[in-house]
Amino acid sequence: MNNTTMLTLQHLYIIEKIISEGSVTKASEKLNLTQSALSHQIRDLEAMAGLKLFLRVGKKLVLSEAGHKIVAGSEKILPVIRELESSLKEMRSGKFQTIRISTECYTCYHWLPPLLADFKKDYPHITVQIVADATRLPMEYLESGRLELAIVSRSSTDPKLHFDPLFDDEMVVLLSSQHPLAIRNTPVEFSDLHSETLIAYQAGSSDSLLTKGFVSSLSPKEIIQVPLTEAIVEMVRYGMGVTVMAAWAARQYEKTDGLTSLRFLSDTGNRSWYACTRKDRDDSIVSLVKRIQESLLLQGEEYLH
């Protein structure tokens, strides 16, 4: 007996068909095999197993004990295999796909879901998942195959990645309404912030929304890094420092008593956002990116409020 080769899916399909059709002849016709080829495979399987799978009773083939064991197992295995094959077929045809998406800024999550809901209406067979865990490292998740789409504020020359432009941010200073600059209520220059404490989620690192060059231009007296936007806003409201964020993100906090925002005289701090995908993306990813671009273009800042 050969212990290195045993059952294959082909064997299970053959046995299933013999049982359902009641004979080797009919089974061979359904499987598009010659009767001799099918009988040969059964003999090979019995030789490998060292057991008889079928017993001939008169003109009928009946299952042996070993045959019953195989059929009982195949009744559990074959439905799973067929479901998997069906799922793969649907994925090849663009149906029932999952697109995982993330963005490197938590504040983006208040405008992204409504946009994805619109996409879902036209593509009900595609599931879009927001992967919040990838927020800090969306491009790394994308490159490792854990995301299909990352919304980022920087591009790269990586030949494996593709960047589609989405929109540009105007950066503003969010500060206490009691701050002397807020009382002055005029656009600020970078020099106005040299003596300030900057409170930021990240500042100056390679993956920061406030780039090293921008932070250098601000040249604040002190930088306090706080990993929670709501905490940053509260610290700013109580006069512990100022922060810098996109104008569309700041608007939701201006409604809070004690906060206001000021524009920069220079547009140096403006950010450009991109939809980053792998170069080998499929048509559904392309469709989602186009939908995001079109929605942002047609709706303007409505999505960003």
Side-chain angles (χ1 to χ4, degrees), residues 81-98 124-127 282-284:
I81 295 299
R82 289 193 173 105
E83 184 178 355
L84 176 59
E85 290 173 339
S86 177
S87 296
L88 293 175
K89 182 178 179 181
E90 289 171 344
M91 288 184 69
R92 285 196 299 271
S93 65
K95 294 181 178 180
F96 302 105
Q97 182 182 357
T98 298
H125 54 280
I126 296 179
T127 300
D282 61 30
D283 291 343
S284 61

Side-chain angles (χ1 to χ4, degrees), residues 1-3 5-7 15 41-55 62-70:
M1 182 175 86
N2 184 352
N3 290 322
T5 305
M6 291 293 286
L7 284 170
I15 293 172
Q41 291 208 38
I42 291 297
R43 286 196 298 272
D44 283 348
L45 176 58
E46 289 179 330
M48 288 185 290
L51 295 165
K52 279 286 186 182
L53 303 182
F54 291 96
L55 302 174
V62 296
L63 288 169
S64 68
E65 182 180 358
H68 278 293
K69 283 276 189 185
I70 291 177

Side-chain angles (χ1 to χ4, degrees), residues 68-189:
H68 278 293
K69 283 276 189 185
I70 291 177
V71 169
S74 66
E75 287 174 348
K76 298 176 183 178
I77 296 170
L78 290 181
V80 175
I81 295 299
R82 289 193 173 105
E83 184 178 355
L84 176 59
E85 290 173 339
S86 177
S87 296
L88 293 175
K89 182 178 179 181
E90 289 171 344
M91 288 184 69
R92 285 196 299 271
S93 65
K95 294 181 178 180
F96 302 105
Q97 182 182 357
T98 298
I99 298 176
R100 295 163 297 177
I101 182 173
S102 193
T103 168
E104 67 181 5
C105 179
Y106 280 110
T107 51
C108 291
Y109 286 125
H110 84 276
W111 61 261
L112 185 59
L115 190 150
L116 296 179
D118 286 343
F119 176 79
K120 182 70 174 176
K121 291 176 184 176
D122 292 334
Y123 298 88
H125 54 280
I126 296 179
T127 300
V128 180
Q129 294 180 348
I130 293 179
V131 184
D133 289 347
T135 297
R136 292 191 63 184
L137 299 169
M139 290 173 68
E140 285 79 353
Y141 271 66
L142 185 71
E143 291 184 66
S144 65
R146 291 175 288 172
L147 283 182
E148 281 69 49
L149 171 61
I151 296 178
V152 298
S153 63
R154 63 194 189 279
S155 59
S156 78
T157 57
D158 190 326
K160 299 188 296 296
L161 300 178
H162 182 84
F163 293 86
D164 289 289
L166 294 179
F167 61 91
D168 292 329
D169 274 341
E170 177 191 3
M171 303 297 284
V172 298
V173 181
L174 187 71
L175 66 172
S176 165
S177 56
Q178 302 302 312
H179 193 287
L181 290 174
I183 295 172
R184 190 182 75 182
N185 195 28
T186 59
V188 298
E189 298 185 57

Side-chain angles (χ1 to χ4, degrees), residues 207-223:
D207 60 349
S208 172
L209 296 179
L210 300 182
T211 65
K212 188 175 295 185
F214 184 60
V215 173
S216 178
S217 298
L218 291 178
S219 189
K221 174 184 68 177
E222 181 185 8
I223 298 175

